[in-house]
């Protein structure tokens, strides 16, 4: 798995965020580390249709396969609709494409600007979603090392709790106090590095703020020099003589002096002379300087005036030599102001300047500090957007057929349409076709061809005989079987049992018992399991945790609790979460006594005995399991305390109450319940489920079906696919009616 560095500006525009990002790419390339680049969200500019040049520069100069960013219009539309989590899923998807076959991914964040006040919040969201280490970029701009470090420290504290927090800071455009104004020859390739004493000063100041200094990039006018063509484009200038439009503008001089004084004080190589269009004397002085070998950047004529034709003719040798001449309608003062305020971003079609910039940045970075990223063995956190993206991608790859017995229910119909549009699964709605069509029409939906509609009247009769055979030991007669098949959940379960569909999702209208009972009767438990349990995937801001059992077993025995723990750990592992099991109780260790604590103690011992490969500890109180500082205090020797990822609750009352409290009080998205222990994938919904809940549950079910298919393929023909013993009976008092 690649390590992600999110590069964020610790200030406004002008810190050189793209330059530092691409310089980091170049530095890792020099370390011979496989590195990628991504700018997932386009930086807003005045024109919302403007293309962000960072990606094009990355492709041209560093030769990485950078994906296109999410367009500004799409970003702002999703944010306006309150769909930030969906936007972050797209961010994860974009970065995932860039991270293929790389060890380090450099991600460029947004610069907060007036027309993108969401920049800071979205940067923080991306840091969490990508489980990224943050690199802050600042520019001293006349501040002392202490003042600059204080500003970086203030920005750093915003990211100190994101994943493993801040990686470090890079300071750009650092000037030595002894720096002299640039001389005449200023466009040579070499650029001096930051002196050692300046490094020590800034490094010490940053360390005092708890921030690692990753690099100091020296200020150089060479790196900020635009071409004449950029000046012309920015000012909307008319090109009277093209000459060398690729010449660099290092200085700007207003041609208000007489020619002798202008020559003595204002003309040097790389100067753009701005003068009124009727100042023929200034133009002739510039032409003579050009012919003498002093290559100016060019001449910008103002006031929409053009010099005398005879004067232009006399200057023609200078124009042939490459002196460009531009004309603008603005007066001299306005033109000079616009030219000096020209944006210093490196254009994507200026690879020469870009190469100099990123080479200078790479040369100013601490390669030893950067190489630590590759050696870092920190455990990754799976963020909620990354988890949801993974679900959708894996479900798409599985391409499973999922039956939805509550096919007339509006949320279910909408979810089926979404699944078809996003390619998540092939959904089959069970219900009256006329009712389904009318319900879809009321919601403004058109059922795509990929959504099947199964009229139960066309399917009941063909399942009577198979159902009688399955329930013969219970004395089921054909008339009774036909009656049971009037229940669409039973009908859908038979479709699953007979291999016509790959999974079943129900519960938007039915209780948990209504969903699970047919599965227990017809599908039964998987080999090695004696019960069915459930987990919720709790999408906390920084990671996804697993809660079990919060939906099925009211008061499990110690042996059943141990089985729930093992099932929950395997579900976590199957969905990319490293399982560390906390057996939850009101007591940590031996701090409390009683029958409830004793049950957890026994269950923990059974898990350790049956699955020594799993990290498990208990009893643990919730705070001891989830908060590192509390875990160190209450259970200092525990391999789980403070870092648990799987929380196993002692009974349904505790589990359901806790999951609901966390979900509602902390505004946490919960995905589930995912049913565990069945031989075939059947999943339950809350009757209060949102459309998104149904979509993700369908995705979970499709992934379970794919995992089952792989197990069967690995086991070979003739291997048992379900438990031989009868499944346990679901209690008449069904698990919670509302979840």
């Amino acid at each position: 798995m690649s390590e992600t560095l999110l590069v964020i500006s610790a200030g406004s525009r002008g810190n050189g965020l793209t330059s530092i990002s691409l310089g980091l790419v170049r530095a890792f390339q020099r370390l011979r580390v496989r590195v990628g680049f991504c700018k997932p969200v386009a930086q807003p500019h005045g024109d919302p249709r403007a293309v962000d040049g960072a990606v094009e520069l990355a492709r041209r100069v560093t030769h990485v396969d950078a994906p296109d960013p999410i367009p500004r219009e799409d970003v702002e539309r999703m944010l306006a609709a309150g769909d930030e989590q969906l936007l972050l899923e797209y961010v994860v998807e974009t970065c995932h494409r860039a991270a293929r076959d790389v060890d380090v991914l450099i991600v460029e964040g947004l610069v907060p600007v007036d027309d993108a006040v969401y920049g800071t919040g979205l940067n923080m969201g991306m840091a969490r979603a990508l489980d990224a280490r943050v690199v802050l970029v600042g520019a001293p701009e006349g501040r002392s090392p202490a003042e600059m470090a204080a500003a970086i420290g203030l920005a750093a504290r915003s990211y100190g709790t994101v994943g493993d927090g801040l990686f470090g800071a890079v300071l750009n455009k650092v000037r030595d106090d002894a720096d002299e104004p640039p001389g005449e020859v200023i466009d040579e390739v070499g650029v001096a590095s930051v002196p050692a004493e300046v490094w020590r000063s800034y490094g010490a100041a940053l360390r005092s703020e708890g921030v690692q200094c990753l690099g100091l990039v020296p200020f150089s006018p060479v790196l900020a020099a635009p071409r004449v063509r950029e000046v012309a484009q920015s000012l909307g200038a008319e090109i009277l003589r093209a000459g060398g439009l690729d010449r660099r503008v290092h200085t700007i001089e207003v041609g208000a002096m007489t020619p002798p004084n202008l020559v003595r004080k204002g003309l040097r190589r790389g100067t753009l002379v701005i003068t009124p269009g009727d100042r023929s004397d200034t133009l002739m002085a510039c032409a003579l300087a050009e012919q003498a070998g002093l290559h100016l950047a060019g001449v910008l004529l103002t006031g929409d005036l053009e010099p005398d034709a005879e004067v232009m003719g006399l200057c023609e040798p200078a124009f042939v030599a490459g002196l460009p001449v531009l004309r603008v309608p603005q007066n001299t003062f306005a033109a000079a102001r616009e030219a000096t305020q020209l944006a210093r971003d490196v254009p994507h079609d200026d690879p020469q300047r870009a190469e100099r910039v990123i080479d200078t940045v790479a040369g100013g970075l601490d390669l030893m500090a950067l190489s630590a990223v590759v050696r870092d063995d920190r455990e990754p956190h799976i963020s909620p957007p990354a988890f949801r993206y993974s679900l959708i991608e894996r479900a798409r790859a599985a391409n499973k057929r999922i039956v939805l017995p509550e096919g007339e229910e509006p949320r279910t119909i909408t979810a089926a349409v979404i699944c078809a549009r996003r390619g998540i699964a092939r959904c089959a709605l069970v219900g009256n076709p006329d009712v389904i069509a009318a319900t879809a029409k009321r919601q403004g939906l058109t059922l795509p061809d990929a959504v099947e509609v199964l009229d139960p009247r066309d399917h009941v009769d063909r399942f009577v005989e198979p159902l009688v055979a399955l329930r013969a030991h219970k004395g089921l007669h054909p008339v009774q079987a036909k009656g049971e098949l009037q229940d669409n959940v039973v009908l859908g379960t038979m479709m699953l049992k007979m291999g016509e569909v790959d999974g079943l999702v129900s519960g938007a209208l039915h209780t948990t018992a209504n969903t699970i009972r047919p599965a227990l009767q017809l599908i039964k438990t998987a080999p090695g399991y004696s019960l069915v349990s459930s987990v919720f995937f709790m999408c906390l801001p920084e990671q996804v945790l697993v809660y079990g059992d919060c939906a099925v077993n009211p008061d499990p025995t110690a042996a059943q609790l141990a089985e729930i723990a093992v099932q929950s750990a395997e579900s976590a592992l199957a969905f990319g979460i490293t399982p560390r099991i906390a057996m939850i109780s009101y007591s940590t260790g031996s701090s409390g006594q009683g029958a409830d604590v004793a049950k957890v103690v026994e269950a923990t011992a059974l898990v350790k005995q049956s699955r020594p490969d799993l990290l498990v500890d208990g009893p643990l109180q919730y705070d001891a399991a989830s908060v590192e500082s509390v875990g160190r205090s209450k259970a200092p020797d525990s391999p789980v305390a403070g870092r648990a990822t799987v929380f196993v609750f002692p009974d349904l009352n505790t589990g359901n109450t806790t999951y609901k409290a966390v979900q509602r009080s902390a505004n946490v998205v919960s995905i589930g319940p995912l049913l565990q222990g069945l031989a075939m994938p059947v999943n339950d919904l809350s009757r209060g489920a949102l459309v998104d809940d149904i979509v993700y549950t369908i995705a979970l079910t499709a992934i379970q079906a794919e995992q089952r298919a792989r197990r069967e393929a690995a086991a070979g023909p003739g291997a048992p696919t379900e438990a031989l013993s009868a499944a346990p009976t679901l209690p008449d008092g069904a698990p919670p009616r509302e979840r």
Side-chain angles (χ1 to χ4, degrees), residues 399-403 425-428 452 454 500-504:
N399 188 31
K400 297 300 181 183
R401 186 184 188 215
I402 307 300
V403 66
R426 293 174 286 121
C427 294
E452 299 178 72
L454 304 179
E500 296 185 6
V501 296
D502 302 300
L504 178 147

Side-chain angles (χ1 to χ4, degrees), residues 294-315:
L294 184 63
H295 297 304
L296 304 176
V299 179
L300 177 63
L301 304 176
T302 63
D304 211 17
L305 300 170
E306 186 173 355
D308 182 80
E310 291 185 7
V311 172
M312 291 290 284
L314 291 173
C315 296

Side-chain angles (χ1 to χ4, degrees), residues 427-499:
C427 294
L429 298 169
V430 180
N432 186 308
D434 294 334
V435 174
I436 292 173
T439 304
K441 185 177 181 180
R442 283 196 300 271
Q443 298 182 95
L445 297 173
T446 300
L447 291 179
D449 293 339
V451 175
E452 299 178 72
V453 176
L454 304 179
D455 190 336
R457 294 169 295 187
D458 297 335
H459 297 276
V460 166
D461 289 343
R462 65 189 184 88
F463 285 113
V464 170
E465 185 175 340
L467 180 57
V468 169
L470 286 170
R471 302 287 289 162
H473 64 287
K474 293 291 186 179
L476 188 69
H477 297 289
V479 174
Q480 295 170 306
K482 189 168 185 175
E484 289 190 14
L485 287 165
Q486 303 305 311
D487 182 340
N488 287 351
V489 178
V490 176
L491 180 61
T493 306
M494 280 300 299
M495 293 178 179
L496 177 60
K497 176 65 179 178
M498 303 306 293

Side-chain angles (χ1 to χ4, degrees), residues 516-589:
I516 297 179
R517 183 174 285 113
L520 290 173
Q521 292 172 343
L522 304 174
I523 293 173
K524 300 182 171 56
T525 54
Y529 290 131
S530 64
L531 56 73
V532 175
S533 66
S534 71
V535 290
F536 281 90
F537 294 97
M538 304 298 292
C539 297
L540 275 64
E542 295 174 14
Q543 63 177 325
V544 178
L545 301 177
V546 176
Y547 282 11
D549 170 16
C550 304
V552 179
N553 296 281
D555 188 17
T557 64
Q560 291 173 328
L561 192 61
E563 186 171 329
I564 291 169
V566 172
Q567 290 179 349
S568 301
E570 290 185 343
S571 291
L573 196 60
F575 289 93
I577 300 171
T578 302
R580 288 188 293 273
I581 311 166
M583 307 296 285
I584 301 300
S585 173
Y586 61 78
S587 167
T588 294

Side-chain angles (χ1 to χ4, degrees), residues 382 387 390-391 394 537 546 566-579 674 676 700 703-704 707 710-711:
I382 299 180
F387 181 73
S390 175
L391 291 184
R394 292 174 65 182
F537 294 97
V546 176
V566 172
Q567 290 179 349
S568 301
E570 290 185 343
S571 291
L573 196 60
F575 289 93
I577 300 171
T578 302
L674 176 80
Q676 310 171 133
L700 286 171
I703 295 169
Q704 284 182 307
Q707 291 169 340
R710 289 183 180 180
R711 286 194 301 269

